[in-house]
Amino acid sequence: MFYKQITDKFKKEADKRKLTKSNMCTWLIIVLLAIYIRFMGTFLTMFSDWWNLLSFSVVYLIVILLIYLLEKSIEYIRAIIISAIVFLCAWNTIYLYAYCNRNTDKAIHATVSLNGYGTRPVPKVLFTYKGYKFEKVVNLKDVISKYGDNLRNICELELSLSEVDALPIFYYINYIDVVKKEKTNDKYKTDAND
């Protein structure tokens, strides 16, 4: 009886420790994901769809490799958690490096056409820059109240970007502004997207 009470007590403490480690991993993933989303919103990255596919393939391979190497000593969900943490840490490191090495001395100012916009669930604009399509969050409340709902025909986007010296495919967004198109010779003037 006494032995059973002691073993039950140790099992409960072990379960509490497992729960605590699980909670720590969950919170770590949430924090890393929030940092990743924040950095992703402040950069234009000139990646093709192949890079995204390659990135997810690497995560998948890490999961498979962990499951193969650790076999029964690791649960499948733990392999996915470890892979997610590695993936988010790697991308956050790349974004942090890009943020620290951005060239703030000379900004690139570009005017691009507004390809589309949305207001739900968050206000965002769709545009093309150097042949790549982007979707970025922008406050559209004042713009819609000023120009109406037909923003694509009336407005364009002004971008102010800073190049990242070490990573030429990264551009830091200083600001994105929705402005009214300027008229030149009875036609709207917009700069080329390329």
Side-chain angles (χ1 to χ4, degrees):
M1 175 113 172
F2 180 71
Y3 176 73
K4 185 174 178 174
Q5 289 175 346
I6 291 175
T7 55
D8 288 344
K9 183 178 178 183
F10 284 128
K11 285 181 183 178
K12 287 179 183 177
E13 288 178 14
D15 289 342
K16 284 181 183 177
R17 274 188 256 131
K18 284 182 184 177
L19 188 60
T20 304
K21 285 181 183 178
S22 175
N23 287 342
M24 285 177 33
C25 287
T26 303
W27 281 108
L28 179 62
I29 288 174
I30 290 171
V31 169
L32 289 173
L33 187 62
I35 293 169
Y36 174 74
I37 290 170
R38 175 70 176 137
F39 272 136
M40 196 172 70
T42 59
F43 281 95
L44 294 182
T45 53
M46 308 294 173
F47 287 132
S48 66
D49 292 335
W50 288 105
W51 277 103
N52 292 330
L53 183 63
L54 179 67
S55 180
F56 288 118
S57 297
V58 168
V59 171
Y60 178 74
L61 289 175
I62 290 172
V63 170
I64 297 300
L65 184 67
L66 285 172
I67 290 171
Y68 177 75
L69 291 176
L70 303 173
E71 290 184 17
K72 294 182 182 178
S73 66
I74 191 168
E75 299 170 14
Y76 295 120
I77 194 74
R78 191 174 298 165
I80 294 170
I81 287 171
I82 292 169
S83 299
I85 290 172
V86 168
F87 174 78
L88 290 171
C89 284
W91 272 106
N92 286 342
T93 303
I94 292 168
Y95 277 128
L96 184 62
Y97 179 77
Y99 181 79
C100 292
N101 289 311
R102 70 190 192 280
N103 188 352
T104 55
D105 294 338
K106 50 185 175 178
I108 300 168
H109 297 284
T111 303
V112 297
S113 62
L114 181 64
N115 295 342
Y117 67 96
T119 56
R120 291 191 181 137
V122 292
K124 61 187 173 225
V125 291
L126 306 167
F127 62 96
T128 304
Y129 182 72
K130 290 194 175 185
Y132 293 92
K133 295 179 181 179
F134 296 100
E135 177 181 309
K136 293 296 176 184
V137 175
V138 176
N139 186 5
L140 294 174
K141 186 177 180 182
D142 295 334
V143 177
I144 291 175
S145 65
K146 187 174 181 180
Y147 298 118
D149 288 336
N150 196 5
L151 292 182
R152 285 185 66 192
N153 295 331
I154 300 170
C155 297
E156 61 191 0
L157 294 176
E158 281 187 2
L159 302 173
S160 175
L161 307 171
S162 295
E163 289 181 327
V164 177
D165 292 331
L167 301 169
I169 56 174
F170 280 75
Y171 291 91
Y172 178 76
I173 302 171
N174 297 322
Y175 69 84
I176 297 176
D177 199 12
V178 181
V179 296
K180 189 172 182 180
K181 291 181 182 177
E182 296 178 21
K183 286 188 178 183
T184 307
N185 296 332
D186 295 326
K187 292 185 179 179
Y188 288 114
K189 175 197 147 246
T190 58
D191 291 344
N193 292 330
D194 295 326

